Amino acid sequence: MTPEPANAATSYDYDVIVIGGGPAGATTATLVAEAGHRVLLLERAERPAFKIGESLMPATYWTLERLGVLDEMKESAFPKKYSVQFFNRHGRGSSPFYFHETDDHDSSQTWQVLRSEFDGMLLDNARKKGAEVQFSSPVREVLFEGDRARGVRAEVAGGPARELSCRAVVDASGQRALLSRKLKIQELHPCLKNASYFTHYEGAHFDDGIDRGATLILHTENQDSWFWFIPLPGGKVSVGVVGHIDYLTKGRPRDPQKVFDEELALCSALAERLEGARQVRDVKVLKDFSYLSTQMAGDGWILAGDAFGFIDPIYSSGVFLALRSGEIAADALLEGLAEDDLSEASLRRNEDEFVAGMTAVKRLVYAFYDRGFSFAKFLERFPDCREAVVDLLVGNVYRRPVDHLITALDEFQSQEAAPIAATGR
């Protein structure tokens, strides 16, 4: 462990430098700056950009409340989301999983968002709370003295590269994962090497009432891929297909649109909803490889959001885990700054709690990808687990125990479901 220099409070340009302006970085910057510390957030893009990950989990409510943006969310045009519904390969839908089933509270309703607008709102809030936010500011390198991070080399606001010193660096650079790649601490989940092809439509057919804003998950008829259907403001909908990267890429056309269309032809329930609709975005492709870093923090540095780990998009956990990890990072930094201790041990103090929640979500992801698994079959056998399933879909992994659900999933999978490894997925 490299000791922190003397006069740490006054010898740095900033107390904390945050790399990345997504939900994780914005959350950390807001909470640390609000406490009176000098915070610089560096975002490489010129402005908040289009991203997938539009669907929020209801448990984001608690972080949004802490950040002070709930009123703004309630006044926004973002569609309200009350449930998730799953469709099997025959096009039959499950009963919707309504979030209010387990807790009839304001937090049981969430939103479907345009990420450019949502991320922009969070960054504006960070500025209001005292953080310095700079766009067009790519970070080229995290600087170290021995094992301790001491700052970054960055091109601030399009200027020449220069060094900026700080007491702690937060890597919230998303799937670029600047620090975990540099330190070689990122581990892939070998069974979750997927890709996604996605676009937007307008004029699709929606359900009525509170079901209008629901996230729909629809299997293709061969069960080698699945689609998401996420309502957006202005009558648009985000549609994407996810499957193992080998299935979606090997021996397929090089044109993403053709691959998307081939998969859509295998999903009649979705094709019906898109009949007469107009595609308004080119199809884009992302690798959705799942991974987790072996540690969340070290001396003078901490990881947040996708820079720490990423789980398959099936349950829309990405923004929720980003916001929560931003809180975890901020709390560790605030305690460390107060105690003048930004060591690895100090900054990792909440890591186990966060990883336990990620692990619970990941366990339900693995269940989804087992060909023999369906929620209907599982809940027929374990009806007492319905509330726990809803809790996981809500994101209540940090508020309620889900151990009994994990045990039931293990038992069900061992007897009835086909393990991922056996299907090559």
Side-chain angles (χ1 to χ4, degrees), residues 67-117:
L67 292 173
V69 295
L70 268 183
D71 287 344
E72 194 169 351
M73 290 295 293
K74 291 175 180 178
E75 294 167 3
S76 73
F78 298 144
K80 294 178 180 179
K81 172 185 170 184
Y82 295 90
S83 65
V84 177
Q85 188 175 16
F86 297 86
F87 290 75
N88 66 19
R89 66 190 184 93
H90 304 295
R92 291 194 295 270
S94 68
S95 297
F97 289 91
Y98 291 109
F99 306 133
H100 62 253
E101 290 180 35
T102 60
D103 187 8
D104 193 8
H105 180 270
D106 282 353
S107 62
S108 64
Q109 175 256 301
T110 189
W111 294 271
Q112 314 281 25
V113 302
L114 288 171
R115 283 292 304 278
S116 56
E117 295 181 12

Side-chain angles (χ1 to χ4, degrees), residues 6-50:
N7 301 318
T10 58
S11 60
Y12 290 95
D13 297 318
Y14 296 92
D15 294 314
V16 175
I17 293 177
V18 179
I19 306 168
T27 297
T28 307
T30 300
L31 297 177
V32 176
E34 189 176 32
H37 298 287
R38 297 166 299 157
V39 178
L40 171 67
L41 184 150
L42 299 171
E43 165 55 46
R44 64 175 178 165
E46 293 180 8
R47 63 184 65 84
F50 165 78

Side-chain angles (χ1 to χ4, degrees), residues 200-218:
H200 284 180
Y201 284 82
E202 61 181 21
H205 302 286
F206 298 95
D207 292 329
D208 297 324
I210 65 170
D211 295 327
R212 180 179 175 84
T215 292
L216 307 182
I217 304 297
L218 308 100

Side-chain angles (χ1 to χ4, degrees), residues 72-282:
E72 194 169 351
M73 290 295 293
K74 291 175 180 178
E75 294 167 3
S76 73
F78 298 144
K80 294 178 180 179
K81 172 185 170 184
Y82 295 90
S83 65
V84 177
Q85 188 175 16
F86 297 86
F87 290 75
N88 66 19
R89 66 190 184 93
H90 304 295
R92 291 194 295 270
S94 68
S95 297
F97 289 91
Y98 291 109
F99 306 133
H100 62 253
E101 290 180 35
T102 60
D103 187 8
D104 193 8
H105 180 270
D106 282 353
S107 62
S108 64
Q109 175 256 301
T110 189
W111 294 271
Q112 314 281 25
V113 302
L114 288 171
R115 283 292 304 278
S116 56
E117 295 181 12
F118 178 73
D119 291 5
M121 179 190 73
L122 295 182
L123 289 171
D124 287 344
N125 186 58
R127 246 193 226 101
K128 292 174 187 174
K129 298 295 176 67
E132 179 183 341
V133 177
Q134 293 285 356
F135 288 98
S136 301
S137 301
V139 173
R140 300 305 182 191
E141 183 183 4
V142 177
L143 305 174
F144 283 80
E145 284 183 356
D147 294 329
R148 177 176 291 278
R150 68 171 181 85
V152 302
R153 185 169 60 85
E155 299 165 16
V156 180
R162 60 190 176 103
E163 293 187 1
L164 295 165
S165 62
C166 61
R167 298 185 65 191
V169 174
V170 179
D171 183 6
S173 60
Q175 294 191 25
R176 287 177 65 212
L178 200 65
L179 262 179
S180 64
R181 292 178 190 271
K182 173 186 175 70
L183 300 174
K184 296 180 170 54
I185 58 173
Q186 187 183 97
E187 293 184 347
L188 289 175
H189 295 308
C191 297
L192 293 173
K193 292 185 177 181
N194 293 333
S196 59
Y197 290 64
F198 55 93
T199 184
H200 284 180
Y201 284 82
E202 61 181 21
H205 302 286
F206 298 95
D207 292 329
D208 297 324
I210 65 170
D211 295 327
R212 180 179 175 84
T215 292
L216 307 182
I217 304 297
L218 308 100
H219 267 302
T220 51
E221 64 186 37
N222 59 12
Q223 289 189 279
D224 284 320
S225 61
W226 60 271
F227 277 89
W228 74 70
F229 180 97
I230 298 173
L232 296 175
K236 294 181 181 178
V237 61
S238 172
V239 179
V241 61
V242 178
H244 192 277
I245 191 166
D246 291 342
Y247 168 73
L248 286 177
T249 60
K250 288 190 175 179
R252 292 295 194 105
R254 300 181 70 88
D255 181 358
Q257 183 69 56
K258 290 182 178 178
V259 176
F260 182 92
D261 291 342
E262 287 178 358
E263 292 304 299
L264 181 57
L266 298 174
C267 191
S268 58
L270 178 59
E272 291 173 5
R273 289 176 178 270
L274 296 180
E275 186 176 357
R278 183 171 69 92
Q279 187 178 328
V280 294
R281 274 191 175 273
D282 292 339

